Amino acid sequence: MKTGLVVDDSRVVRTVARRLLEGWSFTVTEAQNGAEALERCTEAMPDVILLDWNMPVANGVDFLKGLRASPGGAAPKVIFCTTMNDLDHITEALSLGADEYIMKPFDADILKEKLEAVGLLEEYSA
């Protein structure tokens, strides 16, 4: 079974993202900030990480740098899910190792499309 980690300081966003991922048969864990997320990854490296940019303690960029430098940290697909939607932020995230980028608010169709793009969901024709 595929695994996911939702990293966001908003409980509402974590809950929505968790429900979407679980609907696609992911086992999901959550973290409220980048520091907590790195701990979760040390316990078990997920297949995909949905990552917010602005969080207390450790933001998304700090987490991503730490993740990619850690053993096994190159493996997870990282999808930034954030309101930071200018070209500079998108470029920075991708240059640091993010695989995809979603603007908040996002819906099931957008998330599904990104999971398909990174190879974690098969495309189904309707």
Side-chain angles (χ1 to χ4, degrees), residues 10-126:
S10 165
R11 186 173 4 155
V12 171
V13 172
R14 289 194 316 268
T15 300
V16 169
R18 171 189 276 276
R19 287 184 181 155
L20 291 172
L21 289 171
E22 288 175 343
W24 295 311
S25 300
F26 282 80
T27 299
V28 181
T29 55
E30 299 177 14
Q32 324 182 54
N33 60 61
E36 190 179 311
L38 280 174
E39 289 176 25
R40 298 282 179 279
C41 291
T42 301
E43 296 162 5
M45 200 62 76
D47 295 309
V48 68
I49 299 168
L50 303 184
L51 180 62
D52 187 21
W53 191 291
N54 291 315
M55 296 175 288
V57 184
N59 65 29
V61 169
D62 293 337
F63 164 78
L64 185 56
K65 289 176 184 176
L67 172 73
R68 294 304 193 210
S70 67
K77 301 297 184 184
V78 176
I79 302 173
F80 259 102
C81 304
T82 180
T83 58
M84 307 299 287
N85 61 7
D86 58 273
L87 188 57
D88 289 341
H89 282 95
I90 295 169
T91 302
E92 181 180 3
L94 296 175
S95 73
L96 292 172
D99 296 282
E100 283 289 345
Y101 204 95
I102 297 175
M103 312 313 175
K104 284 182 183 175
F106 59 89
D107 61 18
D109 291 336
I110 292 168
L111 182 55
K112 183 174 185 272
E113 180 181 300
K114 296 300 182 177
L115 290 169
E116 289 169 352
V118 299
L120 289 174
L121 274 183
E122 291 183 24
E123 235 179 294
Y124 296 102
S125 53

